[in-house]
Amino acid sequence: MKLIDLSLGVAPGMVVWPGNPAVSLEPVLSLARGDAANVSRLTLGTHTGTHVDAPRHFLPGGTDAASLSLEAMVGECEVWDLTGVDSLIEPRHLAGRSLPRRLLFKTRNSELWRRGEPFRRDFVSVGEAAARRLAEGGVALVGVDYLSVEAFGSREHATHRQLLAAGVVILEGLNLAEVAPGRYRLVCLPLPLVGADGAPARAVLWEEG
Ligand SMILES: [Zn+2]
C-alpha cells in the first residue's frame, strides 16, 4: 500500500498565517551538553502547517479540537481538480457531481508549496455560497491546500462559520502537489489538544484497493 503524505513539514521558518506564532524548536536537554537524552521545547500555533479547525476557532462556546469526530476524518475521500479556479471556489465548481463525505480541493495553491513561496494573500479559497452548499450537502470534511479555507481579509468569516456551525471538519494546509485527482482513503489524525481551537495533523491518502 503506497501512502501519500499530504502534510507540510513543521519547522522553524515555515510559512504561517500573518500574526500567528512562528515555529521554534529549542533544545532543553542535550546529549552534547552531557544530559541523558535530547529533549526539545516545541513552540507553535494551533493553526500551524497542516491542521484542522475546531468549532471554537470562530464560534463562541464551540467544541474543541480534542472533540472532533475521528470518523469524519478517516475513510473514503475524493480529491477534486480545481486547479482551473482563479480565486474563489463557487457553487458552479461543485455542480453536476454528487458531494462525497470527505472532499479535498486541489487548486493552484499546491504549486505555492512546491515552489517554496512566502505567504501569499491571493490564494484560492472557498466562498460563502460554496461553503453553504458543502454544509447542506452532508460533507463531513473539507480539505484545502492553503492555510485557510477562507479568503484573506475576510471580516465576517462566513465560510468558516457556515462549515463549523454545520459540524464540518475543516482541514487546512494540505500539500496536494503530488496527488492526482480521484478516489482515495484518507486518514487525518490531529493532536487531541483539549480546549484548543485547532490542532496540527498528519494527513495521508492511499488509493482504494
Ligand atoms: Zn481555518
Side-chain angles (χ1 to χ4, degrees):
M1 184 171 72
K2 181 173 175 285
L3 294 176
I4 308 168
D5 193 351
L6 313 178
S7 321
L8 298 172
V10 176
M14 70 187 292
V15 175
V16 296
W17 191 261
N20 277 209
V23 174
S24 73
L25 186 65
E26 304 157 300
V28 175
L29 299 177
S30 164
L31 289 171
R33 288 199 310 244
D35 295 319
N38 287 321
V39 175
S40 304
R41 176 184 296 110
L42 172 66
T43 306
L44 77 177
T46 45
H47 299 263
T48 299
T50 306
H51 70 279
V52 296
D53 288 356
R56 69 174 47 182
H57 187 32
F58 281 103
L59 307 177
T63 51
D64 66 357
S67 305
L68 290 169
S69 161
L70 285 176
E71 285 73 20
M73 299 183 276
V74 176
E76 289 182 17
C77 175
E78 291 185 17
V79 177
W80 286 13
D81 180 4
L82 295 189
T83 51
V85 175
D86 193 44
S87 64
L88 205 62
I89 297 170
E90 300 179 88
R92 63 190 167 94
H93 299 118
L94 311 177
R97 311 170 72 169
S98 58
L99 291 171
R101 194 160 153 70
R102 300 171 197 83
L103 176 55
L104 312 184
F105 293 129
K106 178 176 181 174
T107 77
R108 62 179 178 77
N109 296 339
S110 282
E111 283 303 307
L112 301 175
W113 302 129
R114 195 207 293 273
R115 296 202 302 262
E117 296 257 353
F119 182 81
R120 292 274 297 258
R121 296 179 171 204
D122 60 347
F123 60 88
V124 177
S125 59
V126 178
E128 178 183 0
R132 191 178 316 119
R133 175 80 190 84
L134 294 169
E136 291 172 355
V139 171
L141 175 144
V142 61
V144 294
D145 52 1
Y146 210 62
L147 294 174
S148 178
V149 70
E150 186 138 23
F152 187 85
S154 165
R155 296 238 172 114
E156 304 296 324
H157 300 109
T159 292
H160 273 99
R161 289 175 188 280
Q162 290 273 355
L163 295 170
L164 294 173
V168 180
V169 175
I170 303 173
L171 171 55
E172 297 171 323
L174 295 169
N175 181 356
L176 301 175
E178 305 298 331
V179 183
R183 299 189 65 185
Y184 296 90
R185 303 272 172 170
L186 170 73
V187 170
C188 166
L189 296 175
L191 293 174
L193 299 181
V194 176
D197 42 70
R202 194 78 185 246
V204 299
L205 292 178
W206 66 94
E207 285 188 68
E208 291 186 280

